[in-house]
Amino acid sequence: MSKLIEEIEKRRTFAIISHPDAGKTTLTEKLLLFGGAIQTAGAVKSNKIKRHATSDFMEIERQRGISVATSVMGFEYRDKKIIILDTPGHQDFAEDTYRTLSAADSVIVVIDVAKGVEPQTEKLVAVCRMRKVPIIVFINKMDRDGKDGFDLLDEIEQKLCLTVTPLSWPVGMGHEFKGSWSIYEKKLKLFQAHTTQEDAVEITDVNDPLFDKECGEKLANELREELEMAETVYPDFDKTAYLKGDLSPVFFGSAINNFGVKELLNCFLDVAPEPSEYITEQREIAPNENKFTGFVFKIHANMDPRHRDRIAFVRVCSGIFERNKNYLHVRLGKKFKYSNPTAFMASKKNVIDEAFPGDIIGLYDSGNFKIGDTLTEGETLKFSGIPSFSPEQFRYINNADPMKTKQLNKGIDQLMDEGVAQLFTRKSNNRKIIGTVGVLQYEVIQYRLEHEYGAKCDYEPVSLHKACWISSDDTSKLNDFMKRQNRLMAEDKDGRPVFLAESAFTLDMLQQQNPDIQFHFKSEW
Ligand code: G4P
């Protein structure tokens, strides 16, 4: 077997997603503990930006800095190289999460047993469904009272539009939580808090009287009934359906107590996909192609004030990436070589000589990269599937220091390339509008423009509901529409026409009145 194929088969690159506070950081940490990548709990710093920190710029920056180190974590377990892509918890950074998902081959969704499916989870899973990413669900905090298992699975099916099948089933819950029956491994796992030890008693038959002795007759009987019911209600687990994104296995556990985590990890390693094919505008790329291809899915400002460069996160899609070899930066049509590519193992970064499909490498960048950029050995390719989403917050941006116009423009340009927000230029008055998913970005932009570029800006409110890209097969109808709606027309950074809807009502009405015009809520369609 060639080295390339061997390395591809070893890699499992995935993202953990959840609504803030469901337990994503805790689960990540426990996975790293199992993999021996860290020795003690508490070593992974949470990169979540708590809601109350909205006005604390330093805190935002500090946490962004931390998340550079922890946003990709790799470790080896059972001869596999596991790469976890962390995603920001704060909803204002949802776009970062969407982009990170484009670099993952599968996803683990963490759900809080008491809170059930929360809004952020709904949005993120909708993105996964678009790409048919295989999803495993982990229902967390079983040591607390929460929703009934069947109700929760119903809710997941309805709100997340997933077909699910449980691979474990809880015995009791909250203060009565005794453990879980592993449908996957066909044995009872007794709950012991904070331990990585295997159970001393081995119960592999639900009807074993030892079960009643360990968990009490009432809970044992309840479990037997529930398992019987689950068997009739849910389909059998089928790896092919999971890999196609058509069936999601569900585990119940408690991350903080290490319960159910190893089982999740073992199943993940048995079933999760290897680095997958990628679609480009030109053709499909298979990971085992000899030539290297990769794309930038995230750009991070370097928080070290002595080094103002940035780190571009590149997902290797095919071939072998080599240090100091020239690669074509397709958008710029220029070749560059990289002398210090880094890999991320646990929270350490180290320089690497080679990287393989599924790997994420960090390339130091002085402003050449933007999100979605492609690197190849010479072929002109553009990866698709890293869309920008229609923003929901809008403000005019003004130059507050006319002596620093150049710096301001450069700063805005680079921050937009990093994907911090989107820039639209309004046709009627030529003014610049910054569109974002959340309000926190405005403060980040203002702070970073000042501290990194020496420019000052202020904002002015503009009352808009949504910005959507428009297109039509009929150019004259499109031109006609743009002429009529001139007051509400803008251009995005790439010069594409964008309609600025003032309200949901007018948008709806215009969509109905103009059936030949397509309104797009993401930049790729
Ligand atoms: P997030 O990254 O998804 O935002 O969640 P995180 O892991 O930070 O967990 C959120 C809170 O939930 C934390 O408590 C964490 O300790 C707790 N938690 C995680 N897993 C479990 C579990 O299995 N059972 C219970 N009961 N709690 C769990 P916190 O008080 O907000 O933070 P901390 O002070 O403990 O860090």
Side-chain angles (χ1 to χ4, degrees):
M1 201 182 344
S2 79
K3 182 176 176 189
L4 177 61
I5 308 269
E6 214 173 280
E7 295 291 338
I8 292 172
E9 285 182 358
K10 271 176 98 173
R11 278 159 176 75
R12 301 289 181 274
T13 304
F14 74 105
I16 306 185
I17 55 174
S18 74
H19 191 90
D21 281 342
K24 183 166 62 66
T25 311
T26 313
L27 179 64
T28 307
E29 184 167 283
K30 301 297 166 170
L31 291 173
L32 293 175
L33 274 173
F34 278 120
I38 52 170
Q39 266 65 51
T40 49
V44 179
K45 294 187 189 70
S46 159
N47 75 359
K48 61 187 165 174
I49 295 164
K50 298 256 186 200
R51 249 159 256 108
H52 58 75
T54 344
S55 56
D56 186 346
F57 313 115
M58 280 322 291
E59 185 60 9
I60 296 168
E61 291 303 289
R62 197 182 63 76
Q63 299 207 13
R64 279 177 59 92
I66 288 167
S67 67
V68 172
T70 56
S71 54
V72 179
M73 287 159 286
F75 64 96
E76 298 208 2
Y77 185 72
R78 273 178 42 188
D79 291 332
K80 297 279 186 277
K81 185 173 172 192
I82 301 166
I83 299 160
I84 308 179
L85 305 179
D86 193 18
T87 52
H90 196 288
Q91 61 174 14
D92 284 8
F93 291 93
E95 284 246 348
D96 268 356
T97 304
Y98 297 141
R99 290 190 288 256
T100 300
L101 288 176
S102 69
D105 297 307
S106 71
V107 154
I108 294 180
V109 181
V110 183
I111 290 174
D112 182 325
V113 67
K115 295 189 180 145
V117 176
E118 296 174 87
Q120 187 77 349
T121 318
E122 267 182 74
K123 282 193 198 162
L124 294 170
V125 171
V127 176
C128 296
R129 274 200 324 269
M130 256 159 44
R131 280 187 51 221
K132 293 235 145 207
V133 181
I135 298 175
I136 297 179
V137 179
F138 183 76
I139 297 177
N140 191 28
K141 307 196 185 179
M142 291 307 296
D143 57 317
R144 287 207 186 145
D145 286 324
K147 302 188 180 190
D148 162 77
F150 289 103
D151 290 349
L152 203 48
L153 295 194
D154 266 1
E155 189 179 329
I156 293 171
E157 294 212 304
Q158 277 164 26
K159 289 194 180 163
L160 300 182
C161 307
L162 297 175
T163 305
V164 296
T165 189
L167 285 188
S168 71
W169 198 263
V171 185
M173 182 192 289
H175 64 278
E176 273 206 318
F177 185 54
K178 294 284 187 239
S180 68
W181 177 260
S182 170
I183 299 173
Y184 187 64
E185 294 174 16
K186 303 210 168 24
K187 62 178 180 186
L188 180 72
K189 307 257 173 176
L190 287 171
F191 176 63
Q192 294 162 297
H194 307 289
T195 172
T196 54
Q197 303 299 313
E198 288 287 342
D199 298 335
V201 268
E202 173 115 344
I203 299 173
T204 53
D205 176 358
V206 258
N207 294 316
D208 189 333
L210 208 53
F211 186 1
D212 302 69
K213 203 172 142 231
E214 290 287 344
C215 301
E217 206 178 312
K218 177 179 153 270
L219 288 178
N221 283 333
E222 252 173 45
L223 178 89
R224 291 177 186 122
E225 269 170 38
E226 286 174 348
L227 278 181
E228 225 170 85
M229 194 156 128
E231 227 171 81
T232 56
V233 176
Y234 303 106
D236 284 343
F237 177 66
D238 171 23
K239 185 171 163 181
T240 316
Y242 156 74
L243 288 175
K244 281 192 192 156
D246 291 335
L247 182 64
S248 294
V250 180
F251 288 89
F252 292 83
S254 169
I256 196 111
N257 290 301
N258 252 328
F259 188 79
V261 178
K262 196 168 182 188
E263 193 188 357
L264 172 76
L265 182 58
N266 281 333
C267 172
F268 172 83
L269 284 177
D270 292 345
V271 304
E274 290 172 14
S276 43
E277 286 77 36
Y278 266 86
I279 316 268
T280 71
E281 282 174 13
Q282 290 72 17
R283 62 184 186 88
E284 199 175 280
I285 308 284
N288 59 4
E289 290 180 19
N290 283 329
K291 291 196 170 156
F292 160 75
T293 61
F295 70 92
V296 177
F297 65 94
K298 178 183 172 98
I299 295 175
H300 225 299
N302 195 337
M303 284 304 121
D304 183 344
R306 286 165 305 169
H307 303 279
R308 268 288 162 238
D309 49 7
R310 312 184 293 179
I311 299 174
F313 287 69
V314 174
R315 152 88 195 209
V316 179
C317 298
S318 67
I320 304 175
F321 171 91
E322 288 170 57
R323 179 152 87 110
N324 280 327
K325 187 168 169 179
N326 271 307
Y327 291 114
L328 176 68
H329 183 309
V330 175
R331 182 175 53 85
L332 298 181
K334 277 195 204 156
K335 291 204 164 178
F336 294 96
K337 60 180 178 187
Y338 303 92
S339 53
N340 289 310
T342 50
F344 308 86
M345 290 301 277
S347 49
K348 282 202 307 283
K349 282 190 292 178
N350 35 16
V351 175
I352 43 121
D353 291 318
E354 287 182 326
F356 301 89
D359 279 343
I360 308 297
I361 47 176
L363 300 180
Y364 287 95
D365 168 48
S366 52
N368 286 326
F369 282 125
K370 70 186 201 181
I371 303 277
D373 275 347
T374 305
L375 290 176
T376 70
E377 292 195 20
E379 194 177 349
T380 302
L381 294 173
K382 180 165 184 342
F383 284 89
S384 29
I386 318 162
S388 299
F389 288 79
S390 173
E392 286 166 16
Q393 306 280 341
F394 302 89
R395 288 182 199 172
Y396 280 125
I397 182 163
N398 296 325
N399 187 356
D401 181 354
M403 302 296 288
K404 298 283 168 65
T405 308
K406 225 169 109 188
Q407 287 87 333
L408 182 80
N409 289 339
K410 182 174 176 211
I412 294 179
D413 211 46
Q414 291 205 343
L415 293 182
M416 299 306 126
D417 286 351
E418 268 181 43
V420 177
Q422 293 178 61
L423 182 74
F424 304 105
T425 309
R426 199 163 186 164
K427 286 266 181 69
S428 56
N429 55 13
N430 224 12
R431 292 184 68 184
K432 289 186 164 72
I433 295 176
I434 301 273
T436 68
V437 177
V439 289
L440 203 51
Q441 266 87 349
Y442 291 106
E443 297 179 43
V444 173
I445 292 169
Q446 204 166 34
Y447 178 86
R448 290 192 54 194
L449 282 175
E450 191 170 338
H451 289 81
E452 290 170 38
Y453 301 91
K456 283 202 168 83
C457 77
D458 51 41
Y459 301 110
E460 223 178 284
V462 45
S463 169
L464 293 171
H465 163 68
K466 234 177 184 17
C468 35
W469 289 266
I470 54 168
S471 69
S472 174
D473 294 334
D474 188 330
T475 322
S476 71
K477 284 202 171 125
L478 185 66
N479 288 337
D480 226 39
F481 178 86
M482 295 199 294
K483 219 186 263 166
R484 270 185 286 124
Q485 297 296 335
N486 188 47
R487 192 179 63 83
L488 295 171
M489 286 309 302
E491 267 183 7
D492 73 1
K493 219 170 151 264
D494 301 318
R496 297 187 302 171
V498 170
F499 174 69
L500 306 170
E502 286 175 308
S503 70
F505 174 75
T506 51
L507 179 60
D508 202 37
M509 199 175 68
L510 281 169
Q511 277 179 295
Q512 283 179 29
Q513 288 170 352
N514 297 279
D516 296 316
I517 310 284
Q518 279 88 52
F519 294 75
H520 309 277
F521 299 96
K522 49 187 171 61
S523 63
E524 281 184 5
W525 54 86

